Amino acid sequence: MSFTSTYAQKPPNYKGIGLTVGFHALVFAGIMAMPGIDLPDKLPTIMETYDVIVKPEPVEAIPEPKKVELETPTKAQDAVKVTPVVNPPVFNDAPVNRFADIDNGIDFSGLGDRIEAPIAPVEAIPDPVIAGAKLNTRFSKQFQPPYPSGLLRMGEEGMVTVRVLVGTDGRAKQIELIDSPHDGFWTATKRHALKKWRFEPATKDGAPFESWMTLKVRFQINS
């Protein structure tokens, strides 16, 4: 009994084969176009591992330190040798200079030969003789200044205190006011002193020199 396939006599379907091949090509192209997928060129090689035995290096032995033996000194070595000194030197102290008074000089004892240094006598310098300035009695009548007329009519009285610089010629070179109850008294005293006052100048060992002195002038109305 024979069996004959119903498909044997049919021609191949080229259209279906083309569609199948085209579908697979599209799928493969889509996979290739997807980003982030890198296909390795080669597969990794499988590495084989095995244990390595490391032999330790030999350790050198550290030599022990040598013992230092200390020599113990004997009694003979400990003894101090003292050499006696024959006729030791004698150290004399430095000579002390003693000054002794003599008639015509100074005696420097301890320095060898006697040295006489004559000393000239020192003369005492006397203090200078200073005499202060004072009024000249020969001109005492012209000492009082004239009474100011205005103050005289008013009955004013007072005392003027001044400071006067007396020159070497006995005249009043300068006058300064210390105190006055009225300007009129001071003006009259100043004008009169520069013209009329005469003094005996101050002296130093007889030589005149300028000096200041203080004077008082009284203005009083006699009844």
Side-chain angles (χ1 to χ4, degrees), residues 22-214:
F23 176 76
H24 286 84
L26 289 174
V27 172
F28 181 77
I31 293 172
M32 294 297 293
M34 291 180 65
I37 300 177
D38 296 331
L39 298 177
D41 295 338
K42 295 181 180 181
L43 294 176
T45 304
I46 298 174
M47 299 179 63
E48 296 180 358
T49 60
Y50 56 90
D51 297 333
V52 178
I53 300 173
V54 180
K55 295 181 179 181
E57 296 181 358
V59 179
E60 296 181 358
I62 300 174
E64 295 181 358
K66 295 181 180 181
K67 296 181 179 180
V68 180
E69 296 181 357
L70 301 176
E71 295 181 358
T72 303
T74 61
K75 294 182 179 180
Q77 293 176 349
D78 293 339
V80 179
K81 296 181 180 181
V82 178
T83 303
V85 179
V86 180
N87 296 329
V90 178
F91 298 96
N92 296 326
D93 295 335
V96 179
N97 296 333
R98 296 181 176 87
F99 300 96
D101 296 334
I102 58 176
D103 296 337
N104 298 323
I106 299 176
D107 181 14
F108 297 89
S109 62
L111 299 180
D113 297 336
R114 181 184 178 92
I115 301 175
E116 294 184 359
I119 300 176
V122 178
E123 296 181 358
I125 301 175
D127 295 334
V129 178
I130 298 176
K134 59 183 179 179
L135 287 172
N136 192 331
T137 56
R138 293 186 302 170
F139 301 91
S140 58
K141 293 182 179 181
Q142 60 185 29
F143 175 77
Q144 183 66 37
Y147 213 108
S149 58
L151 297 176
L152 180 59
R153 289 194 300 270
M154 296 172 58
E156 294 287 340
E157 295 182 346
M159 180 181 293
V160 180
T161 305
V162 294
R163 186 167 175 259
V164 182
L165 175 62
V166 180
T168 56
D169 58 353
R171 292 178 175 271
K173 295 186 62 176
Q174 187 176 346
I175 183 170
E176 295 179 356
L177 174 64
I178 296 177
D179 184 34
S180 177
H182 199 282
D183 290 340
F185 293 142
W186 157 239
T187 302
T189 301
K190 180 179 180 181
R191 184 184 301 113
H192 183 78
L194 294 175
K195 291 181 179 181
K196 301 293 183 178
W197 283 359
R198 297 293 183 267
F199 303 88
E200 293 181 6
T203 58
K204 180 178 180 181
D205 292 336
F209 66 94
E210 293 183 357
S211 64
W212 288 88
M213 63 181 305
T214 302

